[in-house]
Amino acid sequence: MKVIFAGTPEFAAVALQALHEAGFEIPLVLTQPDRPAGRGMHLQPSAVKQYAVAHGMEVLQPLSLRMDSPDPVRAAQASAAHARLLATPYDVMVVAAYGLILPRSTLDIKPCLNIHGSLLPRWRGAAPIHRAIEAGDKATGITIMQMEEGLDTGPMLLVESLPITAQDSTGTLHDKLAAMGGQMIVQALRQLQHGQLEAVPQPAEGVNYAAKISKEEAALDFSLPALELDRKIRAFNPFPGAHASVNGVHIKLWGAEVLSADSHAEPGQVLAADAQHGIVVACGQGTLRLTALQKPGGKRLPAAEFIKGFPLEGLKLS
């Protein structure tokens, strides 16, 4: 079976590796154009491109796949990409976190299967892993779905669930789901080869939109319950990183523990900041023990190490 792969970040690169190691022929890989990154803002290839180039796969990086784009450069690149797809013999396209919309003209060439990081239709959209943690979901998973023009609305082909633990961050859950997605897409294609893949329509109820994460929403409001703040800290780890301000200094908060004891102190007030108690902060409901923090230009540190260079006792987070 010949597979064209479309994806961009590490989540997708794991799936590409799984397909390659399973022996599927991959005549073409689509990924987003190189982007500036790092302190020097040099152009960096995507994780998918890095894997593809290292293993001798042809890579195509159009700005768009929409041939009707009002931007002549994007429209020209889309037309060239469409022609390349038509000229490439393949049986199925696999898509994972590609980041570009696949128009009807692309979807109509061959079947397109998507690796989606949630139990559809619970979280459709760009940030299903973040939103599942933020919402306090007890489980998430991978859905292999057949793509159509709607946003993650296509019929489901394979579904597998995974519990979300109280210690999971977006980073840890991402890695678990990426590995699961790689295994499941290999299984799905093997079943497709033998005519054993059954499409099931998504339920009409329980649909939520997982909006893209913005840096602005990572600023914590300590009038919220400690339980919600803990979920936000885990949901925004590693990106964009939950943060609070202390005397005008922005501090990244990377880990926390929920304490059941309520406090009559003003939300955000630091109740303790010592080796015995750690960093304990009053919240709208309950209290929060911060376990990992980072000051501007510094390293991520355990709370006990952080307060040695940045005393917090008696101060207020806002």
Side-chain angles (χ1 to χ4, degrees), residues 84-101:
R84 185 70 183 85
L85 291 174
L86 291 174
T88 302
Y90 71 102
D91 302 293
V92 62
M93 178 181 286
V94 170
V95 182
Y98 181 27
L100 294 183
I101 295 174

Side-chain angles (χ1 to χ4, degrees), residues 33-37 40-45:
D34 298 359
R35 305 292 188 195
M41 296 302 286
H42 301 297
L43 288 177
Q44 298 290 332

Side-chain angles (χ1 to χ4, degrees), residues 53-249:
V53 170
H55 293 84
M57 302 174 190
E58 182 180 351
V59 177
L60 200 62
Q61 297 178 271
L63 289 167
S64 172
L65 292 175
R66 301 190 68 91
M67 293 183 289
D68 59 353
S69 172
D71 182 333
V73 174
R74 290 174 180 268
Q77 289 194 12
S79 295
H82 184 70
R84 185 70 183 85
L85 291 174
L86 291 174
T88 302
Y90 71 102
D91 302 293
V92 62
M93 178 181 286
V94 170
V95 182
Y98 181 27
L100 294 183
I101 295 174
L102 269 61
R104 172 55 58 188
S105 57
T106 300
L107 297 173
D108 281 346
I109 301 174
K110 293 287 183 178
C112 294
L113 273 57
N114 178 248
I115 307 170
H116 186 73
S118 84
L119 300 174
L120 289 171
R122 172 59 174 159
W123 293 111
R124 295 174 178 171
I129 301 175
H130 302 77
R131 298 305 179 189
I133 293 177
E134 186 184 19
D137 290 3
K138 299 301 181 185
T140 184
I142 292 289
T143 304
I144 306 296
M145 56 171 284
Q146 187 172 326
M147 295 189 69
E148 57 183 30
E149 285 188 286
L151 178 65
D152 299 328
T153 58
M156 303 179 293
L157 304 169
L158 285 180
V159 180
E160 190 170 329
S161 64
L162 179 75
I164 301 176
T165 73
Q167 289 74 44
D168 269 322
S169 66
T170 289
T172 63
L173 198 56
H174 166 280
D175 293 350
K176 295 176 189 178
L177 290 173
M180 179 184 286
Q183 295 167 2
M184 289 177 64
I185 193 61
V186 169
Q187 178 186 349
L189 293 188
R190 285 176 174 160
Q191 289 184 216
L192 181 64
Q193 283 179 298
H194 296 93
Q196 299 171 343
L197 205 55
E198 181 181 356
V200 178
Q202 291 187 37
E205 300 79 25
V207 176
N208 293 278
Y209 176 62
K212 186 178 179 179
I213 301 296
S214 69
K215 292 183 178 180
E216 291 73 21
E217 64 184 303
L220 296 186
D221 176 2
F222 284 90
S223 67
L224 294 173
L227 188 63
E228 289 187 34
L229 292 168
D230 169 64
R231 294 200 300 245
K232 287 180 179 292
I233 290 171
R234 292 186 290 117
F236 301 148
N237 179 358
F239 177 84
H243 62 86
S245 181
V246 182
N247 291 339
V249 179

